[in-house]
Amino acid sequence: MAHNTDPAKQDRKQRALESDTATGRHVDTLVTEGYSIQDAISEASPGDVIGLWNGTFSEQVVVEKELTLVGLGSGTTTIRSPASVSRRFRWNDNPVTPIVSIEADNATVQGLSIERSPRVSETRTVAGVAGRDASISLTDISVESAESERHDVGILVSNTDGLDRCITIENCDIRNYQYSGIVGAGGGLDFRVAETTVAGLGPIRANRQQGIRVGGVDRATILGNTVADNYFTDSSVSAGVIIVDVPDAFIAWNDIEGNNNGIAARGRGDIMARRNNIIVNDTGALNLGTASFDATHSWWGTDDGPSASAIWAGDDSETLSDQPDGGGDAVAGVQWRPFESSSVDTATWERVDVDV
C-alpha cells in the first residue's frame, strides 16, 4: 500500500526509509508530504507499520488500532496541528485536544516532531500526544508548543479502565508547555520515562508548570532525564517531578535544575529518588505527606550537602531531614544522608541492571 502516485519513486523512498530509520523494518505504507496520515491509518490493518517521509503534515492524527508510525527523525518529519482540531476525551475535568491521539493498545510512535500552531482554536488543554486507555511506546519524539496562556501539555496519558498497561517514553524532547511536560495518570499504568528532556519556560505568571507529573499509577520509573525550568513566580507550586499517590516510584540518575521544587511527592507510596543531580531549585526535594521519601546519594550542588527548607517547614515531628545545614538545594521531610560531594554521572544508569 502506498500513498504516492509514482511507483518507481515510491519504491526508492520505501527503501530509503527502511535504511534511514533505526528499526530497519518493513514499511507497509509510506506517506509522503501532501498525502494524509489519517487516510493511511484508516486503510491499514492492525499491526501495520506506517512510514512517514520527510516534510510537514498539517493534520490531527487519531490512532484507533494497533499500529506503528515511524518518521525519519525528530526535526525531519513533522506533524503540525491544523487550524481546527477536535476534542477526543476529558482529563482533570477538562476537554483534551490532542494533535496525535492514541486510543488503542500496542501503539508505537517514533522519529518525528509535533508542533502546535498558534492558529489552533481555543480549547482548555492542547496536547502534543495524548493517549487514553492505551499501551504506548514513544521514542525520538519532540513536542514544541507555541507560547500562549493556556494549559498546554506535551505528552498526556490517562488510564480510566484500570487495566494493566505499560507506557514507555524514551529519548524525547518536550519544551515550551505552560502546564505540564509529561503526564501519566490512572491505576494500572506502569509508567516509564528515560533519557528525555523536559524543559519549561522558566519563571512565568501565566500557569504553574510541572515537568513530569505522575498520579495514581501503579509504578513510575524515571531514569536519566533532564528536567528543568518549571517555575511559577506567584507561588512555589511548580515542580520538575511531582509524584502523587504512586505506591512504587523510582527516580534516579536525573538532572533536575531550575524549578520551584525539584522533586515533590504526596499521598500514598514509597519514593526512591537516588543518585540525582538536584541543583538550583528553590527546594530540591519536598515531602508533602508520602510514607517514605529516600533521596540519598544525590548531589545537591555543594560538597557539604543540602540546606534546610525556608519555604516549607513541614511537620514539627518530622526527623528525616535531620536539620541539614549545607549550602546546597533545600530539603524537607526526606532522607538525604549520605549525599554525594560532587555531581553524579547520570549516564551510569545505562550500565546498571534496571528493569525499564
Side-chain angles (χ1 to χ4, degrees):
M1 185 189 301
H3 285 252
N4 189 296
T5 57
D6 184 338
K9 187 175 182 181
Q10 161 66 29
D11 183 63
R12 289 195 300 273
K13 288 186 174 182
Q14 171 93 1
R15 293 195 303 270
L17 182 71
E18 292 174 358
S19 64
D20 286 348
T21 60
T23 63
R25 73 182 85 186
H26 171 74
V27 175
D28 298 289
T29 303
L30 177 63
V31 186
T32 58
E33 193 172 23
Y35 291 84
S36 169
I37 300 171
Q38 196 62 51
D39 286 349
I41 291 172
S42 297
E43 296 172 12
S45 299
D48 277 1
V49 177
I50 298 176
L52 308 180
W53 194 243
N54 64 298
T56 298
F57 301 84
S58 295
E59 60 181 299
Q60 184 180 33
V61 175
V62 179
V63 179
E64 296 180 288
K65 63 185 76 170
E66 177 184 345
L67 287 174
T68 293
L69 299 181
V70 55
L72 291 177
S74 174
T76 301
T77 302
T78 299
I79 298 176
R80 179 175 295 159
S81 58
S84 177
V85 183
S86 65
R87 302 173 181 182
R88 298 299 301 178
F89 55 90
R90 298 184 69 85
W91 168 75
N92 204 22
D93 293 327
N94 294 314
V96 177
T97 303
I99 300 170
V100 176
S101 186
I102 302 176
E103 302 167 21
D105 283 323
N106 302 317
T108 298
V109 181
Q110 65 183 82
L112 55 87
S113 300
I114 299 170
E115 297 180 356
R116 202 211 72 187
S117 167
R119 299 175 299 160
V120 173
S121 57
E122 288 297 324
T123 187
R124 182 63 171 175
T125 300
V126 176
V129 180
R132 179 182 62 177
D133 298 337
S135 54
I136 301 168
S137 175
L138 303 176
T139 306
D140 187 25
I141 302 296
S142 68
V143 181
E144 184 85 6
S145 294
E147 296 180 23
S148 66
E149 295 187 11
R150 69 173 82 196
H151 285 198
D152 280 353
V153 179
I155 298 171
L156 165 63
V157 180
S158 175
N159 213 40
T160 65
D161 58 13
L163 295 180
D164 291 342
R165 293 185 171 94
C166 183
I167 308 299
T168 301
I169 300 167
E170 187 169 7
N171 193 32
C172 294
D173 193 294
I174 315 300
R175 298 177 186 270
N176 278 5
Y177 50 88
Q178 283 205 358
Y179 193 51
S180 294
I182 297 175
V183 174
L189 287 185
D190 182 352
F191 195 79
R192 310 175 183 185
V193 184
E195 290 189 283
T196 288
T197 296
V198 185
L201 290 170
I204 63 168
R205 301 185 66 180
N207 289 311
R208 57 183 182 179
Q209 301 170 86
Q210 313 292 356
I212 300 175
R213 173 179 176 178
V214 187
V217 307
D218 288 7
R219 183 186 185 199
T221 307
I222 300 171
L223 296 178
N225 305 285
T226 297
V227 187
D229 299 329
N230 297 277
Y231 203 98
F232 185 50
T233 57
D234 288 4
S235 67
S236 57
V237 296
S238 290
V241 178
I242 183 164
I243 306 293
V244 180
D245 289 326
V246 177
D248 181 8
F250 184 53
I251 306 163
W253 295 289
N254 301 283
D255 292 310
I256 301 174
E257 179 176 351
N259 309 284
N260 282 136
N261 303 287
I263 305 173
R266 65 176 173 85
R268 66 190 177 107
D270 296 318
I271 311 300
M272 183 173 287
R274 291 187 172 183
R275 303 192 186 282
N276 298 286
N277 294 316
I278 306 174
I279 60 174
V280 201
N281 306 281
D282 290 345
T283 302
L286 176 62
N287 187 344
L288 294 170
T290 198
S292 173
F293 195 150
D294 181 349
T296 56
H297 300 285
S298 291
W299 162 245
W300 303 95
T302 60
D303 60 8
D304 57 357
S307 58
S309 175
I311 298 175
W312 182 263
D315 189 334
D316 290 340
S317 65
E318 181 61 72
T319 60
L320 291 176
S321 55
D322 193 25
Q323 299 300 316
D325 58 2
D329 273 25
V331 298
V334 307
Q335 295 167 300
W336 56 273
R337 194 193 301 270
F339 56 85
E340 298 299 307
S341 59
S342 60
S343 62
V344 174
D345 177 7
T346 54
T348 299
W349 78 272
E350 295 179 318
R351 302 190 293 272
V352 177
D353 185 14
V354 177
D355 179 18
V356 295

